[in-house]
Amino acid sequence: MLGTPFLLAAALLLAGCTAAPANPVQTEETAAATPAPAAEEAEETAAAPVLRELTPCTLDRYYKASAIDDSGQIFLTTIDLNDGRQRVACTKPGCAHTGPDCWAWLQDSTVGRPNKLELYTDGEQLYWVNLTDYGHYDMGTIDPQSSVFVSGLEGADAPPVEWLAGTPNYGGNFLQDNSYMDSHWFTDGETLWALINSNPPDETTGEQTFATTLIHFEPAPEGSFAPYTAQVVWRQVRDGSTGYAGLLDGQIVVGVQYPGPDTGSMADNYKNSTTELRVLGCDGILGEPLARFVNGDYKTQALVDGQWYTMAADSTDLQVTDLHTGESRTLCNLPEAAETFSVTPQFVYGGRLVVNLSRDAGDVRYVIDTETGAATTLPTTWAKDGAIPRVPVFYQVAGERCLMKVGSQDRMVTDMGQDGGTYTHPSSLSVYAVEDLGAYLDGDQNWTICDLLTPNGVF
């Protein structure tokens, strides 16, 4: 889902994962000890790769592993961002999409932990990333499996034999920690990069640590079984998290958290911790701090479209900082932020910054001109629990289109209990829609309700 600020990511203590590197791995300590190249060498050094983050979207479709009926089976599907229809991503002639013979069929283990399937695209290919998380399920003695399977945008030509056997290993066994938390995937136009966060236990004490690992996937030699070979470029294991903050000029920016005194309260510990923003180069070198701050001093910090947006805990002024020069200015004042528990800068579109404010009284969504600071509010369109005003929830933004949750429908469902008896309970059905993003930011609500295959209406 869009719009999670780095503040919340750090609060959840994001981290990374491991693998066996082919070459020496740059750590924070070794990077600091590595001398800068001589001027002559620097001139000969190739330009740093310019990265862009992969998403589950092309400009007109969103890829989703989904149930399509009540059978419990999972299939690769797409949601058309123009007409809102969900379709099975299968090109097999005459296929009924009822089981393993369907080219879009996915076994259960590829969509639910301890195995997790994530789908990404660069607009030309589809990357099926299978990740394992046995450690969080007390299955630490089982070797993890991980894979990167590549197909065209229409899906697989047929289910891979290794996939059906439950032992995929495309791209090498790059996930080793058995404690997967989250990841971000990038391309430089030719190769893949992944920043993976995990929280493996210390091998000696058993206490939780936090790891962040940058992995580079290079195309394997022609004729190889796997399309990519994986190499660990940088890895950091420490007692404070290192979370992804965003991209700056095509370079990964991370927030390195340094714990403060232990107060016995996780929330207070986070408030007392310090975070440094640093560029993590594709060469595995961690740059000097771009910014340093105590987390409890701010309601939000977020890197959006190359700009650093912050709001101090005792203020309602939204500040914007140029991380190249360090120059900061007040973009605008958001008076309703005084009553909020969450201020979330989400994205910039057409020179307009979208900021969400969450409070007990309901949501507020601002659309702010990034040059003038002029702010307008968009109307709430539905109510959580029938009472708390809500704005549409952005799930994906792709080019000029967006996929949003725009409401919920109350309903009663009947399930079978462990004793074999049935019971009826309320379970709301989510309502999703697609719309032109610019039109919505202008205040238009003439969206197209999605026609979904998934029976429970939940992504």
Side-chain angles (χ1 to χ4, degrees):
M1 185 186 306
L2 286 172
T4 304
F6 178 71
L7 172 63
L8 295 181
L12 291 172
L13 298 178
L14 299 179
C17 114
T18 103
N23 298 318
V25 178
Q26 280 278 19
T27 66
E28 186 175 18
E29 292 76 16
T30 60
T34 302
E40 296 81 6
E41 295 176 348
E43 291 179 358
E44 297 177 0
T45 301
V50 177
L51 304 181
R52 60 186 176 91
E53 189 168 359
L54 299 180
T55 74
C57 287
T58 63
L59 292 180
D60 60 2
R61 72 181 89 172
Y62 167 53
Y63 291 90
K64 177 65 180 176
S66 173
I68 63 172
D69 51 35
D70 291 321
S71 69
Q73 298 181 97
I74 304 296
F75 297 80
L76 175 65
T77 70
T78 62
I79 297 175
D80 190 301
L81 298 180
N82 291 298
D83 65 22
R85 286 192 60 191
Q86 185 179 25
R87 299 172 173 88
V88 180
C90 172
T91 58
K92 181 180 179 181
C95 185
H97 316 312
T98 58
D101 290 338
C102 176
W103 293 352
W105 179 83
L106 304 172
Q107 63 207 50
D108 289 343
S109 65
T110 64
V111 293
R113 289 183 173 181
N115 282 22
K116 179 178 177 62
L117 176 67
E118 297 180 348
L119 297 161
Y120 300 98
T121 179
D122 58 5
E124 297 180 359
Q125 297 187 110
L126 188 63
Y127 304 96
W128 313 47
V129 180
N130 194 48
L131 301 159
T132 53
D133 188 27
Y134 293 129
H136 283 142
Y137 287 79
D138 297 323
M139 301 169 67
T141 60
I142 299 177
D143 290 337
Q145 295 176 344
S146 52
S147 66
V148 179
F149 170 61
V150 183
S151 77
L153 295 178
E154 299 306 317
D157 293 334
V161 174
E162 292 78 14
W163 197 293
L164 297 177
T167 57
N169 196 25
Y170 297 87
N173 209 15
F174 59 86
L175 186 65
Q176 302 287 318
D177 277 346
N178 266 343
S179 58
Y180 173 78
M181 294 181 71
D182 83 336
S183 60
H184 295 268
W185 290 75
F186 312 87
T187 181
D188 58 7
E190 297 181 357
T191 62
L192 295 179
W193 304 78
L195 186 70
I196 300 180
N197 299 289
S198 58
N199 58 342
D202 184 274
E203 295 182 358
T204 303
T205 66
E207 295 182 357
Q208 185 184 62
T209 60
F210 298 95
T212 306
T213 309
L214 179 64
I215 301 176
H216 186 205
F217 296 83
E218 294 187 283
E222 186 175 352
S224 300
F225 172 72
Y228 293 96
T229 57
Q231 175 185 335
V232 173
V233 176
W234 178 85
R235 177 168 168 81
Q236 181 189 77
V237 182
R238 51 201 302 277
D239 60 352
S241 67
T242 297
Y244 175 64
L247 289 177
L248 181 64
D249 299 330
Q251 305 298 301
I252 295 172
V253 177
V254 295
V256 184
Q257 182 181 332
Y258 297 91
D262 187 359
T263 65
S265 164
M266 181 176 294
D268 289 340
N269 286 353
Y270 172 71
K271 291 179 181 179
N272 293 329
S273 64
T274 299
T275 293
E276 291 180 347
L277 285 187
R278 299 186 178 200
V279 171
L280 174 58
C282 290
D283 54 6
I285 295 179
L286 199 63
E288 292 298 315
L290 301 171
R292 181 184 289 111
F293 50 87
V294 177
N295 290 300
D297 290 346
Y298 290 88
K299 291 179 181 176
T300 192
Q301 314 98 13
L303 181 60
V304 182
D305 198 38
Q307 297 293 305
W308 184 240
Y309 294 95
T310 60
M311 181 178 289
D314 58 355
S315 175
T316 57
D317 287 340
L318 184 64
Q319 302 286 128
V320 58
T321 300
D322 184 328
L323 292 177
H324 297 293
T325 65
E327 295 180 358
S328 181
R329 64 185 175 92
T330 298
L331 179 61
C332 62
N333 181 270
L334 305 178
E336 290 173 289
E339 303 173 357
T340 63
F341 52 82
S342 174
V343 178
T344 309
Q346 293 193 295
F347 58 87
V348 171
Y349 178 79
R352 292 181 287 180
L353 172 70
V354 177
V355 178
N356 269 22
L357 276 61
S358 298
R359 52 184 185 166
D360 292 336
D363 296 344
V364 179
R365 173 167 289 159
Y366 286 100
V367 179
I368 305 168
D369 187 302
T370 56
E371 291 296 328
T372 67
T376 60
T377 58
L378 293 181
T380 55
T381 58
W382 61 292
K384 180 179 179 181
D385 299 328
I388 304 174
R390 298 295 304 272
V391 293
V393 178
F394 288 106
Y395 273 80
Q396 293 295 326
V397 169
E400 298 178 352
R401 304 295 295 177
C402 61
L403 171 66
M404 305 181 290
K405 178 179 177 180
V406 297
S408 63
Q409 295 177 350
D410 294 335
R411 62 172 180 168
M412 301 297 292
V413 297
T414 300
D415 288 321
M416 180 177 291
Q418 294 182 350
D419 59 358
T422 60
Y423 67 102
T424 302
H425 60 92
S427 176
S428 62
L429 185 69
S430 297
V431 179
Y432 296 89
V434 293
E435 190 182 13
D436 178 84
L437 181 57
Y440 169 71
L441 297 184
D442 287 337
D444 180 76
Q445 298 179 36
N446 188 30
W447 44 62
T448 300
I449 299 297
C450 291
D451 179 11
L452 300 180
L453 298 170
T454 176
N456 60 8
V458 176
F459 289 168

